[in-house]
Amino acid sequence: MQHDYFQLLVQAAQRGRKNSFIDLCELNAKKIFTLCVRMLTNETLAHHISVKIYLQAWENIQFVRADTAFEVWLRSIAIYTILEEIRTKKLSEELKLTSEEIPPATNDPLEKILLHLPEIERAIYILHEMEGYTYSEITDFFTNYDEQEIKSSVRNIRRKIAMELKNEL
Amino acid sequence: MNCDELKIFSDDYLEDLLPNNLRIEFEQNIVNCEEENEYLETCKKIKNHISEMPLTFDPPPQIISDLTDKLMQLSDSAEKVKIEPETLKKIEKRSRKTESKIETFEAPAKKIVKQKKSAISKISMLLVILIVFLAALSYYFIRVFNNSGPWKVTSLNGNISINNNNVKQLNVNQGDRINTEVNSSAKIIIPMEGEISLGKNSSILITETKQTTNSIVFNSGSISFTPISDNPNFEVVYNDLIVNGMNGTFSMQIDSIGQCIIEVEKNKIEVIKKKDRLKLSKNYFCIIQSNNVIMFPFHNKTNEEFRNELYRLSININDIGLLSSVLLKARETDALTLLRILELSMKGNREMIYQKLANFFPPPVKVSREGIINGDVEMLKLWWNDISWQL
């Protein structure tokens, strides 16, 4: 039933109904915002990137296929948009954000570790371990790294995180 | 295998990349190496933790209002935030791949089949490219031909004027203003979408005539809209409110003291004021005061006394005496009124409204008491849909 409801909203949005699209965004707001904060470690930046993601999704809503879940499609757009920001720093510069900003507070031990990892390492780990991207797909985003380097990076971070969490989980 | 060898293979083991013979050997020996065994166990716990990880960060409500503002400002001429076609292809590929991961768990044995399928996947890839190309082409044509105009205006009686010129029948387009006089009325047909009736002394301005959005500004008098399609795209802008026609048959009338009365005859509509979205079901009325305050909606079967109390409660929602009196008098047909009161009430008052409402219509599956008391937007929507369906 939930799936049907989403389908109806997507179809209405594809016909140009902005309100249905906003409903879809509201239903996914927490997931997208959490992903943005997790990747970018800054709530102000996550706010602006979330809006950018939704606008990109609106402009490309016609490309959502009937056999694809909207949430999965939106999440892919979110990943591409976030990684573009990590590469270009366009919005961070517009918002005059610095790398010294304090990461948001969280009680989750893994989340805490992620928020304090270096930016590229964090992005690579999240993409592989949490979002299910393959090493080869990750090289598309980080063209300076080859597949072997990405693999080695994921494994180093995995070991580091396991070391820190071994008594906490 | 000794501990050093186990350490070399442990990540491949975790990622299911070890050949069968090595995997068996690894599993036989790992218990002998405490350090690596502990590492593997922690990694498994982390993997479980990731799959159950809560959504830690709450989005500020400003995100949706910013998005709403930007979407409302967005016009065809505005700057587009298009994604590169190459990226779109990757997104689509990724979405389908992730979806299949959600739906089916791929057992290791299936990997052999997967290899055989790689040849087929190349053909699929070409098909995907072709589909994306065709989709882009269709999208272009839809945009080019996305115009529902011209609309056809016919005078039902008396004189009507379009942009201050008296006419009997005319095609109208975006930017045209239509006025009726004291003894005249008109009918406006929006092709494939519906029909607007314009009462006496009324004035509207057509602001958008797209197949994706048909929009008018309602200035004075009375109008009604009857859809002819199942999902018409029609909106009425009234001051800073938007009435989204959804699939409803509805009317709007401005009375002598400047209040706008909205009545829904069939299906449902939505009244939007910035972040506030009020859905109105058939047989429900809603009054918008001249200062644009949306009063509580009411069913056409409610009596005058109940309406007066609702009116007063709209102005002072925290008046507990008034709220108790409204709850006491409310009947089953007032359920959507109660849901609106619940939505806008302070948390402390929601419990008693919930109880009253649940007596009439028990909340559906996926709607919990706690969620409603905490103002969960999605649950409120689900309950609203459930009640409106039954009313």
Side-chain angles (χ1 to χ4, degrees), chain A residues 2 15 17-19 30 47 59 62 65 67 69 80 108 111 131-132 135 137 155 158-159, chain B residues 11-12 15 36 49 56 58 66 71 74 90 92 94 97 99 101 139 212 232 244 277 378:
Chain A
Q2 183 80 338
R15 286 195 302 273
R17 193 175 289 280
K18 292 173 181 173
N19 297 326
K30 195 160 182 174
H47 173 152
E59 286 301 333
Q62 300 299 335
R65 295 166 53 103
D67 59 351
Y80 276 84
D108 188 280
E111 203 87 75
E131 299 297 323
Y135 294 126
E137 284 171 325
R155 291 175 174 195
R158 189 189 284 151
R159 213 163 261 279
Chain B
D11 282 294
D12 280 341
E15 291 168 28
E36 272 316 284
H49 181 75
T56 322
D58 284 318
D66 282 359
L71 277 181
L74 216 62
K90 282 181 188 167
E92 186 182 23
R94 180 73 211 160
K97 189 176 163 188
E99 176 125 293
K101 271 187 190 169
Y139 178 69
T212 46
N244 182 346
R277 303 162 84 91
E378 198 178 341

Side-chain angles (χ1 to χ4, degrees), chain B residues 103-121:
Chain B
E103 285 169 359
T104 55
F105 177 73
E106 198 175 56
K110 285 189 181 170
K111 282 185 179 168
I112 302 156
V113 181
K114 206 173 162 186
Q115 283 168 358
K116 287 182 184 170
K117 281 183 180 170
S118 67
I120 301 167
S121 72

Side-chain angles (χ1 to χ4, degrees), chain B residues 94-328:
Chain B
R94 180 73 211 160
S95 310
R96 299 179 78 189
K97 189 176 163 188
T98 315
E99 176 125 293
S100 69
K101 271 187 190 169
I102 292 165
E103 285 169 359
T104 55
F105 177 73
E106 198 175 56
K110 285 189 181 170
K111 282 185 179 168
I112 302 156
V113 181
K114 206 173 162 186
Q115 283 168 358
K116 287 182 184 170
K117 281 183 180 170
S118 67
I120 301 167
S121 72
K122 280 179 188 164
I123 300 167
S124 315
M125 203 36 209
L126 283 172
L127 275 173
V128 168
I129 293 168
L130 187 68
I131 289 164
V132 170
F133 173 73
L134 287 174
L137 201 65
S138 334
Y139 178 69
Y140 170 76
F141 280 109
I142 287 165
R143 288 201 76 84
V144 168
F145 297 108
N146 178 19
N147 194 335
S148 69
W151 299 358
K152 195 172 171 186
V153 185
T154 312
S155 163
L156 296 177
N157 47 55
N159 290 329
I160 57 168
S161 67
I162 296 165
N163 300 329
N164 296 326
N165 299 315
N166 280 347
V167 287
K168 279 280 180 199
Q169 182 180 322
L170 200 73
N171 290 335
V172 283
N173 268 307
Q174 201 166 300
D176 288 338
R177 179 178 292 282
I178 306 162
N179 293 312
T180 54
E181 295 174 354
V182 69
N183 290 321
S184 63
S185 59
K187 182 174 77 176
I188 303 154
I189 305 224
I190 308 173
M192 312 294 288
E193 302 288 346
E195 185 182 303
I196 307 170
S197 294
L198 203 56
K200 63 182 182 182
N201 268 340
S202 304
S203 172
I204 61 165
L205 171 71
I206 301 171
T207 47
E208 234 176 324
T209 58
K210 297 259 185 311
Q211 276 171 15
T212 46
T213 326
N214 293 289
S215 169
I216 62 166
V217 172
F218 175 45
N219 297 116
S220 60
S222 62
I223 56 165
S224 63
F225 177 73
T226 310
I228 52 174
S229 79
D230 290 339
N231 286 294
N233 294 299
F234 178 67
E235 282 179 355
V236 181
V237 177
Y238 172 71
N239 295 338
D240 64 347
L241 299 158
I242 294 171
V243 177
N244 182 346
M246 299 180 96
N247 58 354
T249 301
F250 68 99
S251 62
M252 295 174 73
Q253 183 179 2
I254 299 172
D255 69 8
S256 54
I257 54 168
Q259 295 185 131
C260 179
I261 302 151
I262 304 173
E263 181 187 4
V264 184
E265 285 172 36
K266 248 170 122 177
N267 298 326
K268 61 185 175 188
I269 64 165
E270 191 172 36
V271 181
I272 304 160
K273 184 184 175 186
K274 292 178 182 160
K275 270 201 74 192
D276 186 19
R277 303 162 84 91
L278 166 67
K279 270 195 203 163
L280 285 177
S281 184
K282 66 176 176 185
N283 298 326
Y284 265 80
F285 281 84
C286 174
I287 294 177
I288 315 291
Q289 282 194 320
S290 52
N291 56 359
N292 286 335
V293 174
I294 305 174
M295 310 307 277
F296 285 132
F298 55 86
H299 195 273
N300 62 12
K301 284 185 184 162
T302 52
N303 60 35
E304 196 65 33
E305 188 190 352
F306 187 69
R307 286 182 199 182
N308 286 338
E309 287 194 353
L310 275 180
Y311 192 88
R312 279 160 46 214
L313 189 65
S314 296
I315 295 161
N316 186 6
I317 192 167
N318 295 327
D319 185 333
I320 191 77
L322 204 50
L323 177 61
S324 307
S325 172
V326 164
L327 290 180
L328 209 64

Side-chain angles (χ1 to χ4, degrees), chain B residues 331-373:
Chain B
R331 294 177 302 173
E332 199 173 276
T333 47
D334 302 315
L336 294 178
T337 306
L338 295 182
L339 195 60
R340 172 71 174 170
I341 298 173
L342 191 153
E343 186 189 343
L344 298 184
S345 289
M346 56 185 195
K347 203 172 170 183
N349 290 345
R350 286 183 192 157
E351 175 73 47
M352 59 178 172
I353 311 171
Y354 172 86
Q355 286 305 340
K356 176 81 182 180
L357 196 49
N359 287 341
F360 292 142
F361 296 98
V365 186
K366 293 186 182 170
V367 175
S368 67
R369 185 188 143 282
E370 290 72 27
I372 292 293
I373 304 293

Side-chain angles (χ1 to χ4, degrees), chain B residues 25-40:
Chain B
E25 200 185 338
F26 182 91
E27 283 170 349
Q28 282 168 347
N29 289 288
I30 188 69
V31 283
N32 302 323
C33 181
E34 199 185 328
E35 189 190 344
E36 272 316 284
N37 202 12
E38 191 182 41
Y39 169 66
L40 282 189

